[in-house]
Amino acid sequence: MKTKQNRRDFLQKVSIGAGALLISNTLFAKENSPQAKNTHKFREEKLNLSTKWDKTFPKSPKVLHQKVTFHNRYGITLAADLYLPKNLSKDSKLPAIALSGPFGAVKEQSSGLYAQILAESGFITLAFDPSFTGESGGLPRFVASPDINTEDFSAALDFLSLYPNVDSSKIGVVGICGFGGFAMNAAVNDPRIKATLASTMYDMTRVNANGYFDKENSKEARNKKRKELADQRLKDYKSGVYALEGGVIDPLPSDAPEFVKDYHAYYKTKRGYHQRSLNSNGGWNLTSNLPFLNMPILAYSDEIESAVLLIHGEKAHSRYFSEDAYKKLRGKNKELFIVKNASHTDLYDKVDIIPFAKITAFFKQYLV
């Protein structure tokens, strides 16, 4: 009995001590917090933004365009193109949409095209370069991250929510290709997102962990990749240079798969080439693949309560990503729309194939 009493007394002392420590730490944190001292005011990095129209698509006379910057909660300053309907009045409050993608592209390519066309339909749109890429900040360059690239969408919402002409209760997101997965992941975790479009979506964590068409879905295959990437880390650390994966292959081998030919036809030709696009040039850091091997971004996608539209090409090699993602979604405000005879990259820029009427109607239904 005495032993049990001693143990209870000991546990009570530990509990009281831990509680006192927690309270004292909390008080210390409050008294010494940046807010209390008023010393932690974030300053955005000054970025070198292009002043010319250097997009892969012509400028629309129906919208106003300006370059802007905003920052995410990791302190990275992002560059973006803001598109405004030309008839916007000073006191207008309009729905807004943040856009990014494809994976390895820049805002001067597909996301900017989508943004401009949606602005023509009355939305305020923000096409941004993801962290570490394009005109956005962040070091080292050309890094991808399941977490940070998801955060980039929420940071775009921070900016739009405070923009004078935006109705902060009516904001959606568009993710193209790999950023379709990040857009959906953001929709899981950010209730401010009222509608999500994932166009020609890739689940980047699935394709890295399992390979194309899940042909490398085994512990052995993943461990082999982890070993190679661990070796690459040491090479990079020793050399002081982050090796790049090379972007879209060029010149194109005669036996290249059809979808690789599609990528080449977009990124490596006048149609979609851009000097700041990773896929058009040197590609991502080789070690960017590391976190994608064990951080699945769509694990909680069945908890998205807001509206989701997935569009995908009938002939796209990547179609299974959208089909499987759709199976997991719940609720009557979710839809999968298959574009007949379209390939993966057709939905990057072919305005006669991309179902903009469907996309515009979707956002008007859930944002207007």
Side-chain angles (χ1 to χ4, degrees), residues 200-202 213 263 312 316-323 344:
T200 194
M201 188 199 79
Y202 257 58
F213 315 110
Y263 283 134
H312 224 108
H317 70 283
S318 52
R319 178 175 165 178
Y320 69 101
F321 290 122
S322 285
E323 290 177 331
H344 179 84

Side-chain angles (χ1 to χ4, degrees), residues 141-333:
R141 302 303 292 164
F142 314 141
V143 177
S145 162
D147 182 17
I148 296 176
N149 292 140
T150 298
E151 157 64 18
D152 288 342
F153 275 104
S154 288
L157 260 75
D158 294 339
F159 173 86
L160 288 171
S161 295
L162 298 177
Y163 192 78
N165 295 109
V166 170
D167 183 339
S168 61
S169 67
K170 298 177 179 179
I171 303 179
V173 296
V174 172
I176 305 167
C177 185
F179 276 80
F182 297 137
M184 290 183 65
N185 197 35
V188 174
N189 216 37
D190 196 331
R192 298 174 300 169
I193 297 174
K194 304 305 180 186
T196 301
L197 166 66
S199 177
T200 194
M201 188 199 79
Y202 257 58
D203 177 348
M204 295 307 301
T205 49
R206 178 177 176 180
V207 74
N208 275 284
N210 299 348
Y212 278 105
F213 315 110
D214 298 326
K215 289 183 177 179
E216 299 170 10
N217 185 15
S218 69
K219 178 183 73 174
E220 292 74 21
R222 281 185 286 275
N223 280 338
K224 181 176 182 291
K225 293 176 185 178
R226 291 171 181 133
K227 174 65 167 59
E228 291 170 350
L229 289 168
D231 291 343
Q232 187 62 49
R233 288 180 68 124
L234 289 179
K235 292 176 184 176
D236 290 350
Y237 198 91
K238 184 177 181 180
S239 69
V241 177
Y242 291 93
L244 301 179
E245 62 181 14
V248 174
I249 190 169
D250 188 44
L252 191 66
S254 58
D255 61 345
E258 196 62 35
F259 71 90
V260 175
K261 294 178 181 178
D262 288 341
Y263 283 134
H264 187 278
Y266 180 75
Y267 286 108
K268 292 291 188 177
T269 70
K270 186 177 179 180
R271 171 187 163 196
Y273 176 85
H274 197 276
Q275 60 186 3
R276 290 190 293 274
S277 167
L278 278 67
N279 290 343
S280 291
N281 297 284
W284 297 91
N285 288 353
L286 279 170
T287 53
S288 283
N289 294 337
L290 266 170
F292 292 91
L293 289 172
N294 67 339
M295 296 183 186
I297 56 175
L298 299 182
Y300 297 102
S301 59
D302 57 327
E303 297 179 10
I304 300 175
E305 296 181 341
S306 55
V308 177
L309 171 63
L310 298 105
I311 63 171
H312 224 108
E314 180 184 29
K315 295 181 177 179
H317 70 283
S318 52
R319 178 175 165 178
Y320 69 101
F321 290 122
S322 285
E323 290 177 331
D324 288 354
Y326 177 69
K327 290 174 187 175
K328 192 174 179 181
L329 296 176
R330 298 291 177 265
K332 295 181 179 179
N333 56 354

